């Protein structure tokens, strides 16, 4: 009988040991399910630890204690921020620019970055911008001294509500001790990048309701002139298309643009995986999980990394974005439109890629005489300039050897879809390119269609690298 009781006792222990990791997995699964199915949720951060279990929990469950309630639909993390300078205005702006900064061992570029944002913006652009600086260092003396310097140099911007300086208190941070050493990083490196993820999460959370769009910069960045006007053009050109993140620099967490409505989920995401990998890697997973598969990056870059020393240990960091242009104001408007072509498309190099300012292109099989590439605007518009480039650096012969550029009006429906019934030729392609100035002076009507027509067949394939259109009126008033 004693042997029977011992056997039963062993079975109970076995069930306990197998049930605990299963429950850990089940909890983690439910958290993920809640994150991606619910449109809104709230993460109420606190320092309360979950009761320890007798086995080591999964990596996700290990920091689930940071969040108390995932079912509330308000979408904000419950953090009591310190306002170090300025306060939010009641009016919602067009763009929030977020910066997170910590004390560096060598060099400090924050003041130069703030100055560049304001100096490179016109008075009209400044009306639509709010800059939020998160001083994320736990050295309160350093923070106080820096706030005094910011307040002295940018007092008028603070008074106007264009500059806020905040801090998320240390007690709201998840644990920064005993973190996973992924990628064989040293412990201090893991702590630095994990804290940085939390720094950004709290910054994103604060900025959720300040504007329609949010731009993440680092604290050692130089801006191009009138970057907001360029951003507006790009956003307008993407009207009607789905995107999660647009990139205006190829470096780090610089120049990444989001809809403000996505900030709570991104903040949640950074906190949940704060110890797994650096923030610029996590953001790639975030956009992928929200169904933006490909990078959408624009050229020229609007922001340049200028710091010489990294915020991590003061190490040298000479990274530069070679696509950056200080005066990147001549970005095309490319008003919203639909693209059609009867040229055989190669793989996924579809027609829309020729019309985007993203670094991508249309690629078709050898076109025949009479083949076309058609752009139909969502609404008629006045065009001042048209510039079209074909071919590429590595495929210089895949140009349009013989073609014409036309503009049309009187949109009608046909069996093959919408089409303009009247066209006027603006010019012929030369060496695969064409540029026509003062279109609005040459054409009396508002343009509804732009068409590229192949005037002679060719053996070579065709790359349309870029179609750039400038309107006579700015896309956003």
């Amino acid at each position: 009988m004693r042997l029977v009781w011992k056997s039963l006792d062993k079975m109970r222990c076995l069930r306990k040991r197998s049930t605990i990791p299963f429950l850990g997995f089940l909890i983690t699964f439910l958290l993920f399910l809640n994150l991606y199915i619910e449109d809104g949720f709230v993460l109420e951060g606190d320092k309360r630890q979950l009761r320890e279990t007798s086995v080591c929990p999964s990596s996700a469950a290990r920091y689930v204690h940071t969040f108390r309630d995932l079912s509330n639909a308000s979408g904000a993390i419950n953090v009591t921020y310190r306002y170090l300078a300025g306060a939010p205005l009641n009016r919602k702006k067009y763009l929030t620019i977020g910066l997170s900064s910590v004390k560096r061992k060598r060099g400090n570029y924050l003041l130069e970055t703030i100055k560049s944002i304001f100096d490179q913006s016109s008075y009209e652009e400044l009306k639509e911008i709010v800059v939020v600086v998160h001083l994320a260092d736990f050295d309160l003396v350093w923070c106080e001294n820096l706030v005094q310097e910011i307040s002295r140099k940018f007092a008028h911007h603070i008074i106007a509500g264009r500059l806020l300086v905040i801090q998320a208190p240390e007690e709201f941070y998840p644990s920064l001790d005993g973190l996973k050493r992924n990628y064989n990083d040293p412990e201090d490196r893991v702590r630095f990048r994990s804290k940085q993820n939390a720094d950004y999460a709290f910054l994103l959370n604060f900025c959720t309701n300040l504007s329609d769009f949010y731009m993440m910069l680092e604290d050692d960045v130089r801006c191009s002139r009138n970057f907001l006007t360029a951003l507006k053009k790009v956003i307008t050109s993407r009207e009607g298309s789905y995107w999660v993140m647009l990139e205006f620099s190829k470096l780090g967490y610089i120049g990444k643009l989001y809809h403000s409505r996505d900030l709570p989920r991104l903040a949640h995401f950074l906190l949940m995986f704060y110890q797994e990998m650096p923030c610029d890697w996590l953001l790639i997973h975030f956009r992928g999980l929200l169904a933006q598969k490909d990078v959408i990056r624009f050229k020229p870059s609007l922001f340049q990394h200028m710091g010489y020393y990294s915020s991590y240990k003061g190490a040298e960091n000479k990274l530069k974005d070679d696509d950056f242009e200080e005066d990147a104001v001549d970005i095309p408007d490319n008003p919203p439109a639909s693209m059609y072509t009867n040229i055989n498309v190669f793989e996924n190099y579809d027609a829309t890629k020729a019309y985007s300012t993203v670094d991508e292109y249309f690629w078709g099989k050898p076109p025949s005489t009479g083949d076309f590439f058609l752009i139909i605007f969502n609404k008629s518009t006045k065009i001042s300039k048209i510039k079209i480039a074909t071919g590429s650096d590595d495929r210089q012969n895949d140009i349009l050897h013989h073609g014409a550029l036309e503009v049309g009006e009187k949109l009608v429906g046909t069996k093959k879809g919408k089409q303009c019934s009247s066209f006027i030729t603006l010019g012929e392609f030369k060496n695969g390119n064409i540029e026509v100035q003062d279109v609005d002076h040459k054409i009396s009507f508002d343009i509804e269609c732009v068409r590229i027509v192949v005037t002679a067949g060719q053996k070579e394939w065709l790359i349309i690298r870029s179609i750039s259109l400038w309107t006579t009126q700015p896309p956003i008033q």
Side-chain angles (χ1 to χ4, degrees):
M1 191 66 177
R2 187 177 300 171
L3 291 174
V4 173
W5 282 111
K6 284 184 177 181
S7 298
L8 289 172
D9 191 57
K10 286 182 179 179
M11 291 174 66
R12 282 196 296 269
C13 291
L14 181 61
R15 282 199 300 272
K16 287 181 181 178
R17 286 195 296 269
S18 60
T19 300
I20 290 171
F22 172 77
L23 288 175
F25 170 80
L26 181 60
I27 290 170
T28 305
F29 173 78
L30 290 175
L31 287 170
F32 278 102
L33 190 64
N34 186 77
L35 172 61
Y36 299 117
I37 293 180
E38 293 293 332
D39 286 332
F41 47 81
V42 64
L43 313 176
E44 297 186 14
D46 62 10
K47 298 301 293 180
R48 187 177 60 185
Q49 298 280 344
L50 289 180
R51 187 171 300 171
E52 294 289 329
T53 61
S54 58
V55 296
C56 180
S58 67
S59 60
R62 198 176 302 139
Y63 38 88
V64 166
H65 66 269
T66 311
F67 318 114
R68 187 170 57 207
D69 181 9
L70 297 176
S71 60
N72 192 298
S74 69
I77 304 172
N78 187 14
V79 178
T80 304
Y81 293 90
R82 296 191 183 106
Y83 285 78
L84 305 181
L89 298 178
N90 292 328
R91 185 176 75 86
K92 204 171 186 179
K93 298 292 188 78
Y94 184 83
L95 179 71
T96 299
I97 300 171
L99 309 169
S100 182
S101 188
V102 295
K103 182 170 60 176
R104 295 170 179 259
K105 292 183 180 297
R106 304 171 68 183
N108 192 309
Y109 311 96
L110 176 61
L111 296 175
E112 293 177 62
T113 300
I114 298 173
K115 186 176 186 299
S116 180
I117 292 171
F118 292 138
D119 286 354
Q120 298 290 62
S121 302
S122 68
Y123 177 70
E124 291 301 317
E125 289 171 328
L126 289 175
K127 291 179 181 178
E128 296 300 321
I129 291 174
V130 57
V131 179
V132 178
V133 177
H134 178 207
L135 295 186
D137 203 282
F138 299 146
D139 184 339
L140 298 184
V141 174
W142 175 83
C143 291
E144 182 179 346
N145 291 336
L146 187 54
V147 168
Q148 289 178 2
E149 197 168 358
I150 292 173
S151 299
R152 180 174 57 84
K153 290 190 174 183
F154 305 104
H156 61 296
H157 292 297
I158 294 172
I159 293 170
R162 289 192 289 266
L163 176 61
L164 308 176
V165 184
I166 63 166
Q167 185 179 55
E170 184 176 1
E171 58 265 25
F172 288 94
Y173 276 73
S175 175
L176 297 174
D177 296 319
L179 301 175
K180 293 173 60 181
R181 290 184 56 192
N182 292 342
Y183 320 110
N184 202 33
D185 281 348
E187 289 184 13
D188 58 345
R189 173 64 183 173
V190 173
R191 180 185 176 89
F192 172 83
R193 61 173 171 78
S194 298
K195 179 184 174 296
Q196 188 177 56
N197 285 331
D199 295 342
Y200 284 135
F202 292 133
L203 172 60
L204 293 164
N205 177 68
F206 179 87
C207 296
T208 296
N209 295 313
L210 299 182
S211 61
D212 297 319
F213 299 96
Y214 175 86
M215 171 68 72
M216 177 65 79
L217 294 184
E218 294 180 3
D219 64 348
D220 53 354
V221 168
R222 188 169 85 253
C223 307
S224 68
R225 186 172 292 112
N226 301 114
F227 63 87
L228 179 63
T229 298
L231 284 175
K232 284 186 173 184
K233 285 187 176 185
V234 169
I235 291 170
T236 301
S237 72
R238 305 291 300 187
E239 188 177 295
S241 67
Y242 178 77
W243 59 271
V244 176
M245 180 176 71
L246 304 182
E247 303 186 24
F248 295 88
S249 172
K250 64 183 180 183
L251 301 178
Y253 217 161
I254 297 172
K256 306 302 185 278
L257 183 76
Y258 303 91
H259 296 278
S260 291
R261 63 174 180 263
D262 287 331
L263 297 187
R265 280 195 284 189
L266 181 53
H268 182 183
F269 189 79
L270 289 175
L271 276 175
M272 180 165 282
F273 298 101
Y274 77 107
Q275 65 173 308
E276 299 298 334
M277 60 185 68
C279 55
D280 47 341
W281 294 7
L282 283 174
L283 66 89
I284 297 172
H285 292 287
F286 178 77
R287 66 165 169 76
L289 288 166
L290 292 186
Q292 181 189 317
K293 180 182 177 182
D294 299 320
V295 172
I296 305 176
R297 186 170 72 83
F298 296 86
K299 290 183 178 182
S301 296
L302 301 179
F303 307 97
Q304 177 65 286
H305 178 257
M306 67 175 176
Y308 186 75
Y309 298 109
S310 169
S311 54
Y312 173 63
K313 284 190 170 183
E316 288 189 4
N317 183 1
K318 300 179 181 180
L319 285 176
K320 296 295 178 184
D321 189 336
D322 51 13
D323 294 324
F324 173 74
E325 291 183 12
E326 187 92 31
D327 295 300
V329 294
D330 197 28
I331 291 178
D333 299 308
N334 282 19
S338 300
M339 265 62 63
Y340 305 92
T341 184
N342 64 345
I343 301 170
N344 290 327
V345 179
F346 176 63
E347 293 184 351
N348 64 338
Y349 294 88
D350 57 81
T352 59
K353 294 184 176 179
Y355 193 63
S356 170
T357 51
V358 180
D359 188 19
E360 54 189 8
Y361 52 82
F362 165 81
W363 199 4
K365 296 180 180 179
S368 303
T369 304
D371 283 353
F372 65 87
F373 188 105
L374 177 66
I375 301 168
I376 299 178
F377 299 127
N378 291 0
K379 58 182 180 181
S380 59
T381 186
K382 290 186 180 296
I383 302 293
S384 60
K385 184 172 77 170
I386 300 176
K387 182 178 180 180
I388 299 174
T390 67
S392 66
D393 291 340
D394 55 343
R395 295 185 178 273
Q396 297 182 14
N397 211 33
D398 285 3
I399 63 173
L400 181 57
H401 294 275
H402 304 282
L405 174 64
E406 303 175 338
V407 293
E409 61 172 340
K410 298 177 182 178
L411 196 65
V412 296
T414 67
K415 291 181 179 180
K416 296 182 179 180
K418 291 183 178 180
Q419 176 68 278
C420 282
S421 59
S422 174
F423 282 93
I424 291 177
T425 300
L426 289 180
E428 303 286 331
F429 280 75
K430 294 181 179 179
N431 299 319
N433 302 316
I434 188 170
E435 180 174 341
V436 182
Q437 305 272 0
D438 302 320
V439 177
D440 51 325
H441 295 158
K442 299 172 182 177
I443 302 298
S444 59
F445 54 84
D446 287 356
I447 295 172
E448 295 181 85
C449 303
V450 172
R451 186 168 69 179
I452 301 169
V453 179
V454 180
T455 55
Q458 61 187 58
K459 296 180 180 179
E460 297 81 10
W461 288 33
L462 173 62
I463 289 175
I464 303 180
R465 188 169 72 252
S466 63
I467 299 173
S468 303
L469 309 176
W470 286 262
T471 60
T472 55
Q473 298 294 328
I476 298 177
Q477 300 295 328

